[in-house]
Amino acid sequence: MRLFNVLFEWKAALYEKKIAKMQAQGKCPDCNGIGANPLIMHEFAYIDRYDCPGCNGSGLFSDWAKVNGRHS
Ligand SMILES: [Zn+2]
């Protein structure tokens, strides 16, 4: 299916663009530098903060790059 390939490449290109942008700002692309996963932040989340698995909760691009095996 050609359409799926185009969609996949478009998404991958968007993701790479975001990574480049976050790298320039020194922020983790997964949590935008917050250090916590925003998807988990609902009314019950105040009990304990859910650290972002991409950067181990630091919100730094350098940590994200280490975890994901990328060179910064
Ligand atoms: Zn993160």
Side-chain angles (χ1 to χ4, degrees), residues 2-29:
R2 207 179 129 70
L3 181 67
F4 282 115
N5 282 338
V6 170
L7 262 179
F8 179 78
E9 279 169 25
W10 177 70
K11 273 193 162 179
L14 267 187
Y15 189 60
E16 289 300 321
K17 235 183 176 179
K18 190 188 177 184
I19 288 171
K21 193 181 158 193
M22 289 292 123
Q23 184 175 9
Q25 296 176 20
K27 292 176 180 174
C28 165

Side-chain angles (χ1 to χ4, degrees), residues 1 12 15 25 28 31 41 51 55-56 58-59 62-63 67:
M1 285 291 280
Y15 189 60
Q25 296 176 20
C28 165
C31 61
M41 283 192 191
D51 283 347
C55 59
N56 290 324
S58 73
S62 55
D63 285 334
V67 170

Side-chain angles (χ1 to χ4, degrees), residues 21-54:
K21 193 181 158 193
M22 289 292 123
Q23 184 175 9
Q25 296 176 20
K27 292 176 180 174
C28 165
D30 286 350
C31 61
N32 295 322
I34 298 161
N37 197 323
L39 291 174
I40 314 293
M41 283 192 191
H42 51 80
E43 63 239 63
F44 303 111
Y46 57 75
I47 302 160
D48 207 359
R49 205 179 66 134
Y50 184 84
D51 283 347
C52 168

